[in-house]
Structures are given as structure tokens and as C-alpha cells.
Amino acid sequence: MATRFDPIRDLDRFFSEVTRTPNSTSLPMDLYRDGEVFVARIDMPGVDPSSIDVDVEDRTLTVRAQRQSEVADKDVKWLTRERTTGTYARQLTLGNRVALDRIQADYQDGVLSLTIPVAEEARPRKINVSHSTPTRVTEVVETSPAQAEDPAGA
């Protein structure tokens, strides 16, 4: 049976292989808010935990990690090689609403979890509304000095 030529499929496969880089194919992330913290969970299977670097500079959080090949022998004949190796990086731009000094990172079972607390000043607050009674305004009538001496006007 002959292989059918499909130019669209072949072009799609070619471009996805050419444009594939370690940064574009790895480190998929979920990001969500849970109450007063943002949580980022980044997949990093096969990464050496000692190679993970997380830093914040100018409100940009950068995660870097390295994945090495387990095959050290250069004389190996690869039949297929889809698992990328090298240095990976992922960046998040953080707004003013987060507490940069309280970010926590934990790596477990191939997943890096970042907990990014909402800044105290960015948390919603309930404003109490006070209710005061209005003050009564009484009518003031001006009188001339002559009327003040003789209130009856006689």
C-alpha cells in the first residue's frame, strides 16, 4: 500500500518540528486564584530539582530549569527522540497586587508549585458606612438695634 501524500499534514508537521523549541514545548502551566493567593503549577518532568531557579526582578518572575538526557553514550542510534533536553525558562509578569516578598515555591512529583500571595493593600475591604442624624437649622431673623430695645415695636 502506497503512502498517501497530504501536503497540509506534511507542512503542519514540518513547521511544528522546525518551530519546536524547549521553551515552546515544555513547562506547561496552570494559573489560578484561590482566595488570597495566586497559584501557578508548572509541569517539569525529568528536571533535576537542584537546577530549578526562581527569581523576581522588576515584577517579572522567571523560572529556569535544566533537563539532561539520561543517555550519555554518543554512539547511540536514535530511532525517535521526542523528549527535549536543555535549559527551559518561563516568565510571568506580576502586577502591583502581589506580595513579592512572600512568594513560595515547592517542587514535588515533577510539578513546581508557586504560591503568590495577594498584597495586603490589594485585598478587598468592607467600608463601614456611618449614619449620623442631620442637624436642625433654625431660622435666624435679623433685627435692627431699635427693634431689639423695643420688641413690640411701639
Side-chain angles (χ1 to χ4, degrees):
M1 179 176 208
T3 306
R4 191 172 148 216
F5 175 67
D6 182 352
I8 302 299
R9 185 192 67 211
D10 291 342
L11 276 174
D12 182 50
R13 184 174 24 175
F14 170 75
F15 281 115
S16 64
E17 288 175 5
V18 168
T19 59
R20 184 183 313 169
T21 65
N23 289 338
S24 68
T25 58
S26 294
L27 302 185
M29 174 181 67
D30 289 338
L31 179 63
Y32 58 92
R33 182 171 178 168
D34 184 11
E36 299 303 322
V37 296
F38 293 97
V39 178
R41 296 185 41 87
I42 303 170
D43 287 349
M44 299 181 153
V47 166
D48 177 7
S50 67
S51 76
I52 299 173
D53 180 47
V54 180
D55 62 58
V56 177
E57 183 177 338
D58 294 329
R59 298 224 165 258
T60 299
L61 182 135
T62 303
V63 176
R64 286 184 193 84
Q66 180 129 11
R67 182 172 28 217
Q68 300 287 340
S69 174
E70 294 107 19
V71 180
D73 187 4
K74 303 257 185 211
D75 296 329
V76 185
K77 181 179 178 185
W78 289 98
L79 301 176
T80 187
R81 188 169 190 183
E82 296 176 357
R83 298 175 60 217
T84 57
T85 58
T87 301
Y88 303 89
R90 185 78 192 244
Q91 291 187 318
L92 297 171
T93 301
L94 305 175
N96 295 327
R97 301 173 41 121
V98 299
L100 299 176
D101 59 334
R102 296 188 297 140
I103 295 174
Q104 296 178 343
D106 179 58
Y107 181 72
Q108 182 177 358
D109 297 331
V111 178
L112 177 69
S113 296
L114 299 171
T115 305
I116 308 164
V118 173
E120 186 67 36
E121 60 272 8
R123 293 183 182 175
R125 290 179 178 71
K126 182 75 175 162
I127 310 274
N128 289 326
V129 177
S130 62
H131 182 268
S132 56
T133 58
T135 57
R136 286 193 168 212
V137 178
T138 57
E139 188 176 320
V140 177
V141 178
E142 282 190 38
T143 58
S144 67
Q147 289 174 330
E149 292 175 12
D150 184 13

